[in-house]
Amino acid sequence: MSSMKLTAVLAASLALGACSDTGQFGGGGLFGGNRPADDTQFGDPTSPSYFQQAIGDRVLFPVDRAVLTDEGRAILDAQAGWLAVNSDYVAIIEGHADEQGTREYNLALGARRANAVREYLLSKGVAGVRLRTVSYGKERPIEICSAEACYEQNRRAVTVISGGLSS
Amino acid sequence: MKTFLKSLLCALALFVGVAPLAQAQNGPLRIEITDGVIEPLPFAVPNFVAETSGMEELATNIARVVAADLNGTGLFREIPENAFISTITNFSSPVQYSDWKAINAQALISGAVSMNNTGEMSVKFRVYDVFSGQELGNGLRFRGTREGWRRIAHKVADAVYSRITGESGYFDSRVVYVSETGPKNERLKRLAIMDYDGANLQFLTDSSSIVLAPRFSPSGDRVLYTSYETGFPRVFVLDVGSATRRVLEDQPGTMSFAPRFSPDGNSVVFSITEGGNTDIYLMDINSGSRKRLTNAPSIETAPSFSPDGKRIVFESDRSGSQQLYIMSANGGQAQRISFGQGRYGTPVWSPRGDLVAFTKQNKGRFHIGVMRVDGSEERLLTASFLDEGPTWSPNGRVIMFTRETQGANGSASLYSVDVSGRNLKPVRTQGGGSDPSWSPLQQ
């Protein structure tokens, strides 16, 4: 990865740092507390927490869509790169929706988003057996206000790393 | 036909909008045009007579539940006890109609409670049409256990409702729903079951996994729901009596959700998502054999059977936005029925077969609405920041749904509204609640 690209990814992940969650299958679990992003030190580059904080574990989506944005693809390129190096790890991609939708539809929409991420990572060479998907629909918002500022953070797909030798 | 009967039947015939007001009076029936608001029928339920000593409190409590059931419909208005000129101390004595007429009680319900030496409780009741000075139907008796007193009270209220309106009631019924606690981003959900009025709450699961959208079987003995207990959304079936559960669909790499029973209780229609695509499947609940009903790259979900089991209404975004469709219960070609502005989801076929209730999203608001099965006569019954997930009362007269409030402290609770759009009110639950499913009348 070029250093310019890495800078962009870092910036994107730092912007998201305030609302990072660790996901059900990563360290901490869905109900664990948020892990504060450390500006200077992400720790072991082969650790899931490095993936989450330095690479960027999530991509965001437009309203009622499951298309990847340019920013999203950049993050997924970095995810694919990390997964290629850290080949012991598997991932579950969690798809989420904001609260503006009915429960069942949002489950299906979250699944579309998770699948969009999975398909992209597959296209970048990540083996399919390493990538499972799950949708939480609107059940697990990361931000809780009822405004677009929160909704845009909730329309997300989070790549949750697990199963590594060091995890 | 009796005056108050006629007036109430007229009122029940109304659906929406400008509606004739049938005002019950001592004299000829008068019809007025109003904005669909009917004057509730005044009734009195004196405390039931305790015919066995020690039954006084129970006799009072039963009368209060009967009154609360009738009051809660919005079709009746209870006259408070402090307005009574006389009361009823002997179930068999003739009724002093003039005393009840004077306080404008158009219906009078009297009752008596006794206990025999084997511990069996007996509840008798009579309904009087005060203004015509006659008993409405014959006295009736229900028997049961002391512990089952609320059910007996609901059965009395159902019988009264039925005699006065000519329709079956809905009080002796239960609701299964998702009990919710905690903040929006860490909400704990568990299945709960209660009487339709919030009494006799029981939890059916713990809150260790997210659970969604429980649905009663046609006989009320089982509940389908979606749980994350395997880590992925899966359809489970739970036996209400024993609270034992089993996963119905557990194909790796997929998720399953949005289940509903067929009217015969032998099949389940639900969604499976595979590779990001969601379609509708039908499963024989005993054999587990499965049939795919839709096959499209779009989202097909929230299926609901017609009461005759021949058709299924569901939602799909195949047109580019969420809309309602009807197909044969065997799958195949589907016909779109929603054509208004906005998005339509969570359709539920009415027990009478004539209407589909749905959630509508339009211009940032959510509505519960109903439309005819052919898509005509769409009517929105509610409007709020977030209303969704309607379920029908057993008689098709009332719709219960989830209302979620806005903002960081937003929470979900259950509401009900008449199919006419009147009588919107919260349903009593312990804590928050969502995704109600109304049982059939209990047997």
Side-chain angles (χ1 to χ4, degrees), chain A residues 83-166:
Chain A
L83 285 163
V85 174
N86 299 284
S87 55
D88 289 338
Y89 286 105
V90 298
I92 291 188
I93 303 155
E94 300 178 352
H96 298 266
D98 67 35
E99 68 188 358
Q100 304 172 98
T102 49
R103 200 175 312 286
E104 295 85 351
Y105 181 83
N106 278 354
L107 269 181
L109 178 59
R112 268 185 185 163
R113 287 174 175 160
N115 191 62
V117 167
R118 184 175 189 270
E119 294 288 333
Y120 190 85
L121 293 175
L122 291 180
S123 77
K124 296 296 168 183
V126 182
V129 290
R130 297 175 66 196
L131 300 173
R132 292 202 286 172
T133 60
V134 63
S135 174
Y136 285 93
K138 60 176 174 177
E139 303 306 314
R140 285 291 177 262
I142 187 75
E143 295 291 329
I144 58 176
C145 73
S146 295
E148 177 55 22
C150 289
Y151 292 161
E152 68 181 7
Q153 300 298 320
N154 291 335
R155 293 189 298 265
R156 68 201 193 276
V158 183
T159 306
V160 179
I161 301 297
S162 70
L165 297 173
S166 59

Side-chain angles (χ1 to χ4, degrees), chain B residues 126-417:
Chain B
R126 295 184 190 277
V127 186
Y128 300 94
D129 180 345
V130 171
F131 282 74
S132 67
Q134 290 171 48
E135 192 177 344
L136 178 60
N138 295 319
L140 197 62
R141 179 198 303 265
F142 291 110
R143 291 188 174 88
T145 63
R146 189 183 185 113
E147 295 69 43
W149 70 271
R150 290 192 72 96
R151 275 203 67 190
I152 294 184
H154 291 315
K155 282 182 177 298
V156 171
D158 276 326
V160 173
Y161 179 98
S162 176
R163 284 184 189 184
I164 294 178
T165 66
E167 301 189 359
S168 65
Y170 57 86
F171 310 122
D172 184 25
S173 61
R174 307 205 82 195
V175 171
V176 62
Y177 70 102
V178 175
S179 169
E180 299 197 1
T181 53
K184 261 168 125 172
N185 53 345
E186 284 181 44
R187 196 151 282 172
L188 297 178
K189 296 190 167 198
R190 57 197 300 203
L191 289 192
I193 188 169
M194 64 182 188
D195 295 352
Y196 99 100
D197 61 357
N200 291 321
L201 175 74
Q202 273 177 281
F203 292 104
L204 298 173
T205 67
D206 63 22
S207 55
S208 56
S209 314
I210 301 172
V211 288
L212 305 173
R215 308 296 182 205
F216 267 117
S217 66
S219 57
D221 61 337
R222 290 164 295 161
V223 170
L224 290 165
Y225 66 105
T226 302
S227 169
Y228 281 72
E229 92 174 60
T230 64
F232 299 85
R234 298 270 183 241
V235 173
F236 283 72
V237 59
L238 177 141
D239 180 81
V240 174
S242 63
T244 55
R245 64 191 189 280
R246 69 178 170 93
V247 68
L248 211 62
E249 169 61 48
D250 198 15
Q251 187 187 325
T254 69
M255 45 182 239
S256 59
F257 61 103
R260 277 186 202 277
F261 279 99
S262 61
D264 64 9
N266 293 328
S267 303
V268 178
V269 64
F270 63 107
S271 274
I272 293 179
T273 301
E274 194 167 10
N277 181 35
T278 301
D279 273 301
I280 294 171
Y281 291 74
L282 183 68
M283 179 185 275
D284 181 297
I285 198 165
N286 296 313
S287 73
S289 71
R290 198 175 80 184
K291 180 183 180 187
R292 186 170 188 157
L293 298 185
T294 66
N295 197 340
S298 42
I299 292 172
E300 276 70 37
T301 190
S304 168
F305 270 97
S306 60
D308 65 7
K310 291 182 176 159
R311 289 183 289 171
I312 291 170
V313 63
F314 64 99
E315 64 172 74
S316 167
D317 70 347
R318 62 183 63 172
S319 72
S321 74
Q322 248 178 308
Q323 299 293 339
L324 307 184
Y325 294 79
I326 288 176
M327 64 180 170
S328 156
N330 298 314
Q333 199 74 12
Q335 190 141 21
R336 178 170 164 180
I337 63 166
S338 61
F339 290 97
Q341 288 200 330
R343 301 162 59 173
Y344 297 79
T346 75
V348 193
W349 217 301
S350 73
R352 299 172 187 214
D354 55 343
L355 297 173
V356 170
F358 54 83
T359 306
K360 176 166 175 163
Q361 251 179 293
N362 192 27
K363 297 182 177 130
R365 303 275 284 172
F366 280 74
H367 309 269
I368 301 298
V370 293
M371 61 174 65
R372 298 254 168 223
V373 170
D374 64 5
S376 66
E377 296 181 43
E378 174 181 325
R379 292 182 282 117
L380 300 183
L381 310 180
T382 73
S384 92
F385 167 69
L386 208 173
D387 288 346
E388 72 170 304
T391 181
W392 292 91
S393 66
N395 67 354
R397 183 56 69 186
V398 183
I399 290 172
M400 202 179 285
F401 60 96
T402 308
R403 172 164 288 183
E404 185 129 6
T405 54
Q406 195 168 358
N409 298 316
S411 64
S413 49
L414 306 186
Y415 274 73
S416 68
V417 65

